[in-house]
Amino acid sequence: MGITVREALKLGGLRRAKVVAGEAGLERIIKYVDILEIPDPRGWFRANELIITTGYAIRNDPRAQANLLLELARTNGAGLAVKFGRFIGSVPEEMRRLADELKIPLLDVPDDIPYVEITNPLMAAIVNEQARQLEYSERVHRELTRVALEASNIQAVAAALATLVEREVVICDEELQPLAVSGKGSAVGSLQLPPEEIKRLHSAQKAVEITLWSRNVRRRYFVAPIDVREHRYGYILVDGQTPLSELNQIALEHAVTVTALQMVKEEAVVEARRSLQRDLLEDLIAGALRHRELAISRAEALGILLEEPKVIMAIDIDDFTGYLLHQPGAQEANAGVLKRRFHRAVNSCFMAFDRRVLTVQRSDSVVGILPANGREIRGAEDWRVLRGMLQELAASIQLKIARELDGVTVTIGISSIAADPMEISERYQEARTAIRLARRLNGKGTVAFWEDVELYHVLGQSGETLERFYRSVLGELDRPEVKNREELLETLRVYLECQGNVMASAAKLYIHRNTMRYRLQRIEELLGRDLDSPDERLALWLALKARGLIRSEQ
């Protein structure tokens, strides 16, 4: 809190002073005024201090005269006012050169001006400015606090700060994703920083000036970090095309405090809701909910629609423990940071895919419960479309992880469709098994759909596992209410024996080829499987064999 050297030149005895060098530093702030008449100034100067002297102690010492300016520059002093005429005479050229180079205002004060005519008006102006800034600070604090309490959102804080500083204001999360924008030119897109600016910003403890790209335009901003208990919640960006005044800086400091409180409050609300969601999802995944109506009612209370078809996607960090062992520092701290960044990266991809995706973090994994694209999956073509979308989503997750988490890879397992909420637990096990088998078959960093690995899971299995496989493949066809069920099953068996040859199958069944094609179309509609696919035919053939085994045991 103080006044500039330029403003000081309009007060008291300094109105008769002349700026003989260092004009580029006239915006330096004066907070203190002192008189110095000793040859060595080291240890006597303070930041933002204007020094007044006759130069008596250094009148015949050019080196000491230069050192006076160097020491002022080192301590970020405000300027140097010298009564040159009494002892030094004309202004030394070395002092002129050095003052210009260091941007330290060098003032020539007439000999007949008493010190008191300089110090008293300056101190009065500094005290008045401090009082004005304190009054402004209290007003800003009251206004921002009122906005936060009444509006209770970050956008209102951004709007209030933009009004106070008369500039564009952007409030971002810790990944520099805009949360609120207000003020002139407030159409801000994603913010991109050069690597060197990212490092400087992450290590900043107070407001810094940075250059970034927004909508392909290079912009300068003053950026203040929002920290609470060593946790960085985000940043406040204020347009930096022109320097911030001290009053602007006061408003920014208060806005940081109010925004931090707002973010902490919102985080607490979100975390409470997330905790309830997490409990529900954990119960669904674990199969702890025995009653369908209870699961649906709990979900509805949280704004979750469980009755639409779901797909389970599990994302698992490869060799999580091995990765941590190669990281310096405390393993526990590294694990916490990695899990948070991992969860955040996966969530951002899920949000881009569909905002209705539900997620739960389980140690070094993230489980996503995805709506089946908001459509009814009636047949093979619908599933192919959805499968393509899920494949793209999985690839985007792996790409984002590779970009943001150096050296981390993930394996992703994707289940079949859960048509009912009570199937979610079983589908989750499919996704986990897909991950295990994918790593075994193809190594780390791969994507596996359950339908692609279920045969490998079944091999060597028996009992309940075998029956589950049979039900998942042939269950929709082998139901009592299906008309001509046995006829369709026999048609499927013959068709598979004939290796997909329609004419040969029709001849073996003593039916017309069009009748054969109609039955095959009916089978495809019921099962939702493509009979032209060799893999699908293999699964159906094994399921028919499993049906015979199960029936013989019964």
Side-chain angles (χ1 to χ4, degrees):
M1 298 180 185
I3 61 173
T4 65
V5 177
R6 190 184 302 278
E7 292 168 337
L9 290 171
K10 301 175 183 178
L11 302 173
L14 286 185
R15 285 181 294 186
R16 293 172 54 196
K18 295 180 180 179
V19 181
V20 295
E23 289 189 20
L26 289 177
E27 297 305 320
R28 286 177 175 264
I29 299 297
I30 303 174
K31 295 183 180 180
Y32 313 100
V33 183
D34 205 352
I35 299 167
L36 184 76
E37 297 294 354
I38 58 175
D40 186 359
R42 285 177 298 180
W44 290 94
F45 290 168
R46 294 172 289 181
N48 304 110
E49 187 171 47
L50 176 68
I51 297 298
I52 309 171
T53 182
T54 63
Y56 174 78
I58 57 174
R59 60 191 183 280
N60 298 317
D61 190 344
R63 185 174 180 180
Q65 293 166 8
N67 188 52
L68 195 59
L69 288 167
L70 290 170
E71 191 65 17
L72 274 169
R74 188 186 67 80
T75 58
N76 195 30
L80 178 62
V82 184
K83 292 186 177 183
F84 285 105
R86 181 170 298 180
F87 299 110
I88 297 179
S90 61
V91 181
E93 285 303 316
E94 178 61 16
M95 290 190 74
R96 287 179 189 270
R97 186 195 65 77
L98 202 54
D100 284 334
E101 179 184 317
L102 299 173
K103 298 179 181 179
I104 298 289
L106 181 60
L107 312 180
D108 183 4
V109 180
D111 293 341
D112 62 335
I113 297 177
Y115 285 149
V116 70
E117 289 187 14
I118 298 175
T119 57
N120 282 6
L122 288 184
M123 291 307 300
I126 291 170
V127 170
N128 289 338
E129 178 63 17
Q130 289 176 342
R132 186 173 75 89
Q133 292 185 12
L134 286 172
E135 182 181 352
Y136 176 78
S137 177
E138 291 180 6
R139 181 167 67 84
V140 168
H141 178 70
R142 287 196 302 269
E143 174 64 14
L144 291 175
T145 302
R146 181 191 65 78
V147 167
L149 292 174
E150 292 181 2
S152 190
N153 61 63
I154 293 174
Q155 179 60 47
V157 178
L161 179 59
T163 301
L164 289 167
V165 300
E166 298 181 344
R167 298 166 184 249
E168 177 193 49
V169 170
V170 184
I171 300 179
C172 302
D173 62 16
E174 58 183 320
E175 298 296 322
L176 279 181
Q177 296 302 311
L179 303 174
V181 184
S182 188
K184 299 178 181 179
S186 56
V188 172
S190 61
L191 304 177
Q192 298 175 325
L193 272 73
E196 64 276 7
E197 294 283 45
I198 292 176
K199 291 181 180 179
R200 193 160 68 93
L201 188 58
H202 284 172
S203 61
Q205 300 300 313
K206 58 182 181 179
V208 294
E209 190 176 356
I210 64 170
T211 300
L212 50 76
W213 291 89
S214 173
R215 295 185 179 272
N216 297 321
V217 177
R218 190 177 176 90
R219 301 283 300 275
R220 293 195 70 78
Y221 285 95
F222 292 98
V223 184
I226 304 170
D227 295 333
V228 180
R229 293 182 180 176
E230 299 183 354
H231 174 64
R232 181 148 297 178
Y233 281 82
Y235 302 91
I236 297 182
L237 286 70
V238 176
D239 180 79
Q241 303 308 307
T242 57
L244 287 182
S245 68
E246 284 203 56
L247 295 182
N248 290 159
Q249 293 175 23
I250 289 171
L252 178 56
E253 289 175 4
H254 282 296
V256 166
T257 302
V258 173
T259 304
L261 293 172
Q262 190 66 30
M263 284 183 161
V264 170
K265 182 178 72 174
E266 290 182 5
E267 183 186 55
V269 173
V270 170
E271 183 55 36
R273 185 176 183 83
R274 188 182 295 132
S275 178
L276 293 173
Q277 288 186 352
R278 187 165 51 243
D279 290 345
L280 171 63
L281 299 182
E282 285 284 2
D283 286 345
L284 286 169
I285 288 172
L289 295 175
R290 302 298 182 186
H291 301 286
R292 184 175 186 275
E293 292 73 17
L294 176 60
I296 292 174
S297 63
R298 277 181 62 183
E300 287 178 347
L302 296 171
I304 299 173
L305 297 177
L306 278 186
E307 293 183 281
E308 61 181 0
K310 307 287 186 185
V311 173
I312 312 303
M313 179 181 288
I315 303 95
D316 198 64
I317 297 177
D318 295 319
D319 192 18
F320 180 70
T321 303
Y323 176 84
L324 289 178
L325 289 175
H326 290 87
Q327 303 303 306
Q331 303 306 320
E332 187 174 338
N334 286 333
V337 171
L338 176 59
K339 288 178 182 179
R340 283 196 299 272
R341 294 179 63 192
F342 167 57
H343 195 195
R344 187 165 54 242
V346 173
N347 269 345
S348 68
C349 293
F350 278 150
M351 290 288 283
F353 176 77
D354 193 319
R355 298 184 67 87
R356 295 171 298 160
V357 175
L358 307 173
T359 65
V360 59
Q361 186 167 6
R362 311 190 91 194
S363 185
D364 53 343
S365 299
V366 172
V367 181
I369 302 178
L370 295 79
N373 198 28
R375 62 193 293 176
E376 186 176 353
I377 307 299
R378 293 178 178 271
E381 181 59 31
D382 287 341
W383 170 242
R384 274 196 294 269
V385 172
L386 178 58
R387 175 178 169 128
M389 297 172 66
L390 294 172
Q391 184 75 53
E392 290 181 5
L393 172 60
S396 71
I397 291 173
Q398 290 185 321
L399 181 60
K400 190 171 185 65
I401 294 297
R403 285 176 175 172
E404 298 189 6
L405 302 176
D406 185 35
V408 175
T409 62
V410 294
T411 299
I412 299 176
I414 303 171
S415 74
S416 59
I417 293 175
D420 188 270
M422 307 311 289
E423 297 176 5
I424 288 177
S425 175
E426 183 177 344
R427 298 296 175 261
Y428 168 70
Q429 294 303 325
E430 288 180 356
R432 293 301 311 175
T433 302
I435 289 175
R436 177 175 56 81
L437 292 173
R439 284 177 175 151
R440 182 176 177 181
L441 295 168
N442 303 312
K444 301 174 184 176
T446 55
V447 178
F449 285 79
W450 169 249
E451 64 178 346
D452 295 336
V453 299
E454 60 181 332
L455 289 180
Y456 297 99
H457 176 62
V458 170
L459 292 177
Q461 302 292 324
S462 61
E464 292 182 0
T465 303
L466 192 63
E467 183 166 359
R468 249 194 331 268
F469 166 69
Y470 149 68
R471 291 294 178 190
S472 70
V473 176
L474 281 178
E476 293 301 310
L477 175 60
D478 194 12
R479 288 184 292 121
E481 62 267 31
V482 174
K483 186 177 180 180
N484 300 323
R485 173 182 55 158
E486 293 297 335
E487 182 179 80
L488 291 174
L489 285 167
E490 179 63 13
T491 299
L492 176 61
R493 185 189 65 78
V494 172
Y495 174 75
L496 294 174
E497 281 184 350
C498 294
Q499 300 180 15
N501 188 312
V502 174
M503 299 296 290
S505 302
K508 194 170 185 177
L509 290 169
Y510 303 102
I511 59 177
H512 194 273
R513 62 179 180 275
N514 288 339
T515 303
M516 183 68 189
R517 289 193 178 96
Y518 169 79
R519 289 183 185 180
L520 293 175
Q521 182 180 355
R522 174 71 173 144
I523 291 169
E524 282 188 331
E525 289 175 352
L526 286 168
L527 297 180
R529 293 178 180 266
D530 182 6
L531 295 183
D532 289 332
S533 167
D535 287 340
E536 296 280 22
R537 289 208 295 264
L538 175 60
L540 291 167
W541 178 251
L542 289 177
L544 285 172
K545 294 297 184 183
R547 181 175 184 263
L549 288 173
I550 293 169
R551 290 207 163 191
S552 65
E553 290 176 356
Q554 292 174 345

